[in-house]
């Protein structure tokens, strides 16, 4: 039995919302799950999660009332929003989904409810943007008739070890009573403990800077890798040597895509701009990481002499997930296509998209680019890839998964970041 008696509604049942709904339901809470995506609700009602965050067994072992009917919000004491927070084409935060979901909640919430945001946002979003939308559409007064909370989600998609209940949860409410209630509620499902943040803005900022820090650390090793290329040495050898010092931070160069690390720093840039401040370090990290796809393409085109038949292996933004949002693999593919290359894609996890699919057996290729560290690729024999590439052709191994010496000895060109 749950320690608290609240009915909970999760708004947005994606990578974040669904595991959270599951965690509350597994503890015996009455959980409603609302999403505007009918297809998503249908698959969840049928006991399947296409994001692979929950197995069919996990999903089917709990009771969650999945619905596209916003009326379920009325029944809930705590409403938790896990709505996307992307950037637009100009890399500006796009709060439209959060605004729209807040309108829906405002129209349907009951008096006395606590409305909690889990989406990654810039400080001030919950209280200065979402609170007034909720007031406008509910006719209620924030802080009196209902209160706000913020608790960022820190899961790592595809990571079956650090799942929602095993990550310390940052929790903040707009007043101490709300914070107490939310700490007790989340404390009931989170085994890793609760961090009571000083206030909502602090919790919002903490989440955004976590991801920006990761972006910057990767940008640093990406820049190091570029410099190593100029110097004519292998960046992984350099990082291995430097990594023997006890306080050297271990990061690998790579493409930074997805909807978190490559996006959240822009939320900090935005709030800084609104407050009349320039971000130098945060913006530099984004610039370096956004430039890595071009570096890969330039090196491949140079090595194959401008044009050719290419297989890109790995379309998702990271390994072992089916999520292709903001994947840099697509930036690489588009640039290769624009250069006149005949590009094919392979991915054991990603759903079929616009790029024609092919396998290594459909070679020989002028170049094979291994861009994502999927388990299937980590277990692949280097010879299998060598056999698919023309003599003198290129194998680009972005994460150093293959046997570089074997590739070079075979007469193929080995490239890596
Ligand atoms: N995916 C992650 O690993 C991760 C980790 C930490 C934080 N976050 C943050 O959590 C938030 C949610 O991310 P996600 O990955 O779960 O997104 P997602 O796209 O997987 O899921 C969001 C869901 O919200 C639904 N939705 C959109 N608008 C809606 C509306 N108006 N009403 C109801 N439902 C609506 C969508 O249909 C979708 O199912 C984002 O702010 C993200 O940055 C994500």
């Amino acid at each position: 039995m749950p320690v608290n008696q609240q009915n909970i509604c999760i708004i947005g049942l994606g990578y974040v919302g669904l595991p959270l709904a599951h965690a509350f339901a597994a503890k015996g809470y009455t959980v409603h799950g609302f999403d505007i995506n009918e297809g998503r609700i249908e698959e969840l009602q049928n006991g399947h999660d296409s994001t692979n965050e929950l197995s069919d067994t996990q999903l089917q072992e709990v009771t969650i009332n999945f619905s596209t009917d916003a009326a379920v919000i009325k029944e809930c004491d705590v409403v938790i929003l896990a709505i996307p927070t992307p950037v637009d084409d100009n890399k500006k935060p796009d709060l439209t989904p959060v605004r729209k979901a807040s309108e829906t909640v405002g129209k349907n919430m009951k008096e006395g409810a606590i409305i909690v945001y889990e989406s990654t946002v810039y400080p001030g979003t919950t209280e200065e943007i979402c609170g007034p939308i909720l007031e406008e559409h509910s006719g209620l007064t924030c802080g009196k008739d209902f209160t706000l909370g913020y608790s960022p989600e820190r899961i790592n998609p595809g990571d079956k070890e650090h799942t929602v209940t095993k990550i310390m949860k940052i929790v903040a409410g707009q007043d101490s009573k709300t914070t107490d209630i939310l700490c007790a509620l989340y404390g009931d499902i989170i085994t890793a403990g609760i961090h009571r943040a000083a206030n909502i803005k602090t919790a919002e900022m903490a989440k955004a800077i976590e991801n920006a820090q990761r972006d910057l650390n990767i940008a640093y090793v990406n820049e190091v890798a570029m410099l190593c290329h100029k110097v004519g040495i292998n960046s992984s050898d350099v990082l291995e040597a430097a990594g023997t010092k006890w306080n050297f931070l271990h990061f690998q160069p790579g493409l930074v895509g997805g909807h978190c690390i490559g996006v959240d720093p822009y939320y900090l840039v935005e709030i800084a701009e609104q407050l009349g401040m320039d971000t130098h370090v945060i913006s530099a990290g984004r610039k370096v990481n956004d430039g890595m796809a071009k570096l890969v393409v330039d090196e491949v085109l140079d090595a194959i002499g401008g044009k050719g038949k290419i297989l890109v292996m790995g379309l998702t933004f990271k390994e072992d997930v089916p999520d292709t949002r903001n994947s840099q693999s697509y930036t690489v593919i588009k640039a290769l296509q624009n250069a006149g290359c005949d590009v094919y894609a392979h991915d054991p996890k990603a759903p079929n998209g616009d790029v024609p699919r092919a396998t290594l057996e459909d070679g020989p290729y002028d170049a094979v680019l291994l861009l994502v560290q999927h388990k299937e690729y980590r277990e692949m024999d280097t010879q299998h890839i060598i056999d698919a590439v023309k003599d003198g052709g290129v194998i680009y191994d972005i994460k150093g998964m293959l046997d570089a010496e074997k590739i070079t000895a075979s007469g193929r060109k080995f490239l890596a970041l």
Side-chain angles (χ1 to χ4, degrees):
M1 279 299 288
V3 293
N4 305 290
Q5 294 305 319
Q6 292 98 336
N7 282 358
I8 298 169
C9 187
I10 309 289
I11 312 286
L13 297 166
Y15 282 84
V16 168
L18 181 68
L20 192 66
H22 175 269
F24 280 117
K27 264 281 172 176
Y29 286 89
T30 300
V31 180
H32 297 275
F34 169 77
D35 202 295
I36 49 169
N37 181 340
E38 287 177 10
R40 176 68 171 158
I41 290 296
E42 203 174 309
E43 69 165 29
L44 295 175
Q45 283 170 338
N46 290 331
H48 178 68
D49 167 27
S50 58
T51 68
N52 290 338
E53 289 300 300
L54 296 185
S55 67
D56 291 359
T57 314
Q58 283 175 304
L59 191 52
Q60 290 164 23
E61 76 196 357
V62 296
T63 305
I64 301 170
N65 173 32
F66 295 113
S67 180
T68 52
D69 181 0
V72 295
I73 298 168
K74 284 190 182 63
E75 296 168 33
C76 296
D77 310 293
V78 178
V79 180
I80 303 176
L81 292 92
I83 296 296
T85 44
V87 288
D88 64 19
D89 292 344
N90 299 315
K91 311 283 188 197
K92 298 288 264 181
D94 179 5
L95 289 175
T96 315
V98 166
R99 286 176 190 274
K100 287 206 167 129
S102 301
E103 276 179 37
T104 306
V105 173
K107 284 177 190 154
N108 291 283
M109 64 197 265
K110 72 173 180 186
E111 194 170 340
I114 299 177
I115 314 298
V116 186
Y117 289 80
E118 289 229 0
S119 302
T120 308
V121 293
Y122 53 77
T125 307
T126 302
E127 290 160 296
E128 288 156 25
I129 298 176
C130 301
I133 295 174
L134 294 168
E135 283 188 320
E136 185 189 338
H137 292 274
S138 65
L140 301 171
T141 304
C142 185
K144 181 170 140 301
D145 303 324
F146 70 94
T147 56
L148 295 170
Y150 181 78
S151 180
E153 184 48 71
R154 306 159 104 186
I155 56 159
N156 187 16
D159 185 336
K160 300 293 175 206
E161 193 187 330
H162 303 100
T163 48
V164 58
T165 59
K166 295 187 197 134
I167 306 167
M168 183 172 281
K169 196 102 177 89
I170 298 176
V171 176
Q174 85 179 94
D175 54 38
S176 57
K177 187 177 163 214
T178 306
T179 311
D180 289 345
I181 294 171
L182 292 178
C183 286
L185 184 66
Y186 280 115
D188 206 11
I189 59 162
I190 306 286
T191 54
I194 301 292
H195 175 85
R196 196 181 165 111
N199 49 47
I200 287 180
K201 278 187 184 159
T202 302
E204 291 172 322
M205 185 79 171
K207 168 66 195 180
I209 69 152
E210 276 171 26
N211 281 355
Q213 183 188 68
R214 193 165 166 76
D215 193 43
L216 282 167
N217 279 318
I218 298 170
Y220 174 63
V221 288
N222 274 339
E223 195 160 278
V224 167
M226 287 189 256
L227 188 54
C228 288
H229 287 204
K230 295 272 180 215
V231 175
I233 50 179
N234 188 327
S235 68
S236 61
D237 292 344
V238 171
L239 291 170
E240 189 189 344
T244 57
K245 192 180 176 195
W246 72 94
N247 60 359
F248 187 82
L249 302 177
H250 295 270
F251 284 87
Q252 262 194 315
L255 301 174
V256 180
H259 45 283
C260 290
I261 310 291
V263 166
D264 300 346
Y266 291 118
Y267 277 68
L268 291 172
V269 172
E270 169 67 21
I271 189 64
E273 269 175 30
Q274 284 181 19
L275 298 171
M277 181 188 140
D278 288 331
T279 48
H280 302 289
V281 177
I282 297 170
S283 302
R286 280 287 69 238
K287 194 171 166 205
V288 170
N289 286 342
D290 270 351
M292 294 313 284
K294 184 176 181 311
L295 180 87
V296 171
V297 170
D298 288 348
E299 289 193 342
V300 170
L301 292 177
D302 192 39
I304 63 171
K307 265 184 203 164
K309 178 176 168 179
I310 298 179
L311 181 67
V312 171
M313 298 181 75
L315 293 174
T316 57
F317 83 88
K318 66 172 284 194
E319 66 278 6
D320 302 328
V321 296
D323 194 345
T324 56
R325 285 178 290 178
N326 300 334
S327 168
Q328 293 294 301
S329 296
Y330 284 99
T331 313
V332 168
I333 289 170
K334 211 175 277 174
L336 290 170
Q337 286 171 332
N338 289 345
C341 294
D342 196 9
V343 187
Y344 298 87
H346 180 275
D347 195 299
K349 298 276 190 308
N352 278 334
D354 300 342
V355 187
R357 292 294 180 108
T359 63
L360 287 168
E361 285 67 35
D362 296 317
Y365 297 97
D366 295 289
V368 169
L369 280 55
L370 208 47
L371 298 187
V372 181
Q373 247 176 330
H374 285 315
K375 181 170 174 285
E376 291 80 349
Y377 297 163
R378 295 196 295 271
E379 290 168 354
M380 200 173 265
D381 183 18
T382 299
Q383 189 62 43
H384 192 181
I385 300 196
I386 291 173
D387 292 343
V389 178
K390 290 177 190 166
D391 197 14
V394 171
I395 297 177
Y396 202 109
D397 178 15
I398 206 156
K399 292 283 186 182
M401 286 176 272
L402 303 173
D403 182 340
E405 277 178 27
K406 194 169 180 180
I407 291 172
T408 310
S410 75
R412 276 72 175 172
K413 290 178 201 147
F414 175 82
L415 295 177
L417 273 183

